Amino acid sequence: MGSETDIRVLPLKVVNKIAAGEVVERPASVVKELVENAIDAGASRIDIEIVNGGRKLIAVHDNGSGMNKDNALLSLERHATSKIKDVDDIEKIATLGFRGEALAAIASVSRLRLTTCSSGSGGTEIITTGGTIQDVRDIGRPVGTTVEVRDLFFNVPARKKFLRSYQTEQGHIRTGFIVQALACPALGMTLKTDDNLTYSLAGGGNLEDRIRDMFGADYLLSLKQVDYQTSNVKVEGYISVPGLNRADRNEQYVFVNDRSTSASVLSFAVREGYHTVLAKDRHPCVFLFVKTNPENVDVNVHPTKKEVRFREPSEIRDAVIAAVRKALAVSAPAMDDISKKEAGIRIPVPGVQLKIENLPVTRSFKCPRVDFAFNESQAKVRHDDRKLEQVEKEKGCEQEKKTASSSPWEFCRVLGQIGNLYVVMETEDGMVLMDPHASHERVLFERYMGAVTGGKVEMQNLLLPETVELGPKDALRVRKSMGLFRKIGFGISEFGGDAFVVDAMPSYFSGVSAVTLLADIASALEEAGQRGGERQLEEIIAQVACKAAVKAQDKLSLQEIEQLVIDLAQTEMPYTCPHGRPTLIFTSFQELNKKFGRG
Ligand code: ADP
Ligand code: MG
């Protein structure tokens, strides 16, 4: 050990610099803090100027309340804030700031100029260098505040070295700007970088306007509105239809009481909400606003307030899951005025008879072409007819409560099947490729899930009860879940050791062997193990639906395809199979026109 050293309290300047290390990570953090202050000051308009990725200048102008001279001087002191008064206030924070650290921290690592004016006072200008006040004077200016931050980190060479390229810092600033613009859609905002106007957003609008302004009108078409409320939690915003998804989470904007934030429970809930409609490695785009009493949220977890904690995480989680599920099940807008109604099938209003007419539908032309003529006699039907009969039977009782409102299109014309697999169709908006296996999976999944949760699974007794011998692990799982197996329509009992007797199966799965099903369900049980409840059931039913669905190599008759299209259109989530693979790939006429150079 070394010799004893004296302990001393650090000078304020050093303390501020240390704190600055936490609050001011990079130029984008300065922008964030200054904009938050402007929002807290009630500004309706905020203009941001950036020069050289924020190294040279970051300026934020607002038309908020402004400050008088005393407050302006205080605002630069550490732990000086107007937003909380004592400890209790930390329990219910409704402003973005409250730590009273940002301005002091920013000032300590830059050359700062603050000009401000409140309605009851004259204007003030304060100039500081590395946190030391250089000059204070009275000036004339309109009500509001301007903070100019120059030469960030000029006195912290170590930090300066860590700044990334101009592009990177600029990117962070833009991303931060987008987040703040989404958080406050009514705010007029501009971002000017090196004399270019990067964003100019009119104020006064709502979230929809803001998304349209920043992401484009087309993008908005792929979003569903979220609107859900429990007694304690409100969840609003927009989320993408399953077809619009990404490999990363970069377009997930989540706000808690209008503060951009992350909390693992929130991303988990979004994930869960999309369970069975999105593949595991894909992520939706979300703009979610979670609102709850500030007392239920702890924002004082992180100096930059990036993270929050909830007093009742499960309540928030369940609300977000329910909100997402509800939004995804909401129907697509009905298309009216379809000009091509004459040829082709129409997605039914229940009870209306459908017919495919005029097949083949394409004009013949003089190069070798695929034979679209397609009928039962030509097609070797390997598809298990019983399944469709079953499906028909089910429809009888199911159809009343389902409507075609969620159908992806209103009109469609089946042109044939290619590669012995994909179904090609024309709809009013373009061309659709359908994967019949994935589609059938979706249809079976929803029907079966509906039957199970409604306690109405039809069972079919096996002529010869099957004895199934499982491996010890699988057997253990099955034994633990006998109740569940009965619930989902299996007549199953133990036969000693690791053997089971199956004497009845859900009628959806006639033709599928009990051995395969049991083993599959056992492994699905393991996968879903931790989650329990509804989720476990979904996993299992997705698994069996996959086994029972028509196989990729099955040749389908035209009637079967038609029926499948109709059935799919009536599901709640027609665009993906329960495992999240797409059922339909759509190419719009617009897109085709573009590809063919037709403008
Ligand atoms: P905090 O935001 O956590 O209170 P800051 O250091 O960011 O801490 O700001 C300190 C105080 O300065 C704020 O509480 C507020 O009273 C005042 N202030 C800062 N920026 C502005 C602004 N743009 N308009 C009006 N007042 C401001
Ligand atoms: Mg602040």
Side-chain angles (χ1 to χ4, degrees), residues 133-146:
I133 293 187
Q134 308 287 330
D135 198 6
V136 182
R137 52 180 159 159
D138 299 337
I139 53 155
R141 61 151 292 156
V143 170
T145 303
T146 296

Side-chain angles (χ1 to χ4, degrees), residues 304-315:
T304 62
K305 304 160 223 139
K306 262 189 256 185
E307 240 175 76
V308 296
R309 279 198 204 117
F310 297 102
R311 305 250 185 278
E312 293 287 344
S314 57
E315 190 181 34

